[in-house]
Amino acid sequence: MAPKILVIDDEESICNLVRMHFQTEGYLVYTALDTEEAVQALSHDPNLILLDINMPEADGLEFCRRLRNHIDCPILFLTSRVTEQDKITGLQAGGDDYITKPFSLAELTARVEAHLRREGRARHKSMKMSGELFIDYAGRCVYCKDKAVPFSKKEFDIIELLSLHAGQVFDRERIYERIWGYDAEGSSDILKEHIRRIRTKLAQVTSREYIETVWGCGYKWVN
């Protein structure tokens, strides 16, 4: 099936330009001129999102944070903001990359293809080396120096989610919804205890810290 891209930009000319270009490259492209249309377009389950930061009726960074509560596909910002702090803020909001306006279609295509390849490898990879750890996703086992490290189902689910998206910050609410379900009763506070248990078990076999707390944001996996 052709990859699906969602373009969210209040400039209709940009939406049309990007749509026509990627359609000729064999992609399925959906466009939205505002966040309301974008929410509706999410029903198409896009493989990648191109998101304008500077939309008049909504802040793209805040909208990205909201998206990250429900989806984990790559999000690339389209923006004229270029400072280092802008990039840091965008990455902390859940973005994966920046495309600075005005951009060339060749560079945009290369970046989109790179992120889709990376996402495909992560989703289909059944085993992964991470530092001293060997993670067998199919077998749902974690090994350190050939020694199995026992984890509960929920603990391994957390390891799987974070390690498959190493470097990406997940807030507590998003992890809770992904692991326990959107309709789960309870509080995301329980996640803190599961993270503590994972860290304790890993500390018994390695001195490395694999789950890093990003204060005010959430957690991320460090390879």
Side-chain angles (χ1 to χ4, degrees):
M1 181 179 293
K4 294 176 286 186
I5 298 177
L6 172 58
V7 185
I8 308 171
D9 197 307
D10 65 296
E11 295 184 59
E12 189 170 3
S13 59
I14 290 182
C15 285
N16 290 336
L17 174 66
V18 174
R19 185 187 72 249
M20 293 175 61
H21 170 73
F22 279 100
Q23 282 178 341
T24 62
E25 297 292 322
Y27 291 79
L28 293 175
V29 185
Y30 306 94
T31 61
L33 298 176
D34 54 42
T35 55
E36 183 176 348
E37 290 184 5
V39 170
Q40 296 176 355
L42 289 176
S43 62
H44 297 291
D45 193 22
N47 301 111
L48 181 142
I49 295 175
L50 297 173
L51 173 61
D52 180 25
I53 287 184
N54 300 311
M55 292 185 292
E57 86 292 346
D59 178 77
L61 294 174
E62 179 57 34
F63 185 62
C64 180
R65 294 187 184 96
R66 289 168 50 197
L67 288 178
R68 279 299 181 219
N69 290 326
H70 305 286
I71 64 171
D72 60 3
C73 73
I75 297 177
L76 282 63
F77 286 123
L78 302 175
T79 180
S80 57
R81 302 181 183 180
V82 293
T83 70
E84 181 179 7
Q85 185 57 50
D86 286 331
K87 292 182 179 180
I88 292 174
T89 302
L91 294 174
Q92 289 177 337
D96 296 282
D97 203 352
Y98 263 78
I99 307 294
T100 305
K101 294 180 179 181
F103 51 80
S104 73
L105 289 175
E107 179 186 3
L108 178 61
T109 303
R111 288 179 180 264
V112 166
E113 291 177 346
H115 280 280
L116 289 176
R117 284 196 303 270
R118 187 177 302 118
E119 186 74 3
R121 288 195 297 268
R123 289 187 181 277
H124 293 94
K125 189 177 292 184
S126 62
M127 299 180 183
K128 177 178 182 177
M129 289 296 298
S130 181
E132 298 176 300
L133 301 182
F134 177 83
I135 306 174
D136 179 357
Y137 297 107
R140 296 182 64 81
C141 296
V142 178
Y143 300 89
C144 182
K145 302 172 184 176
D146 296 326
K147 179 180 179 181
V149 185
F151 291 102
S152 69
K153 179 183 183 302
K154 286 289 192 291
E155 289 167 357
F156 187 86
D157 287 343
I158 294 168
I159 291 173
E160 181 178 37
L161 173 64
L162 295 180
S163 64
L164 282 175
H165 300 85
Q168 180 176 324
V169 179
F170 287 80
D171 63 50
R172 284 167 48 189
E173 288 71 22
R174 184 182 174 204
I175 298 174
Y176 181 78
E177 289 176 352
R178 289 287 300 274
I179 303 302
W180 276 266
Y182 294 108
D183 300 323
E185 297 181 359
S187 166
S188 62
D189 290 340
I190 193 175
L191 175 65
K192 295 172 63 177
E193 176 61 18
H194 281 73
I195 294 290
R196 185 193 67 78
R197 292 178 184 175
I198 294 171
R199 286 171 167 165
T200 298
K201 292 177 180 180
L202 290 177
Q204 294 173 353
V205 295
T206 177
S207 60
R208 284 196 51 183
E209 186 78 24
Y210 286 91
I211 298 180
E212 179 179 311
T213 299
V214 181
W215 296 109
C217 297
Y219 302 100
K220 71 175 180 179
W221 186 270
V222 182
N223 281 329

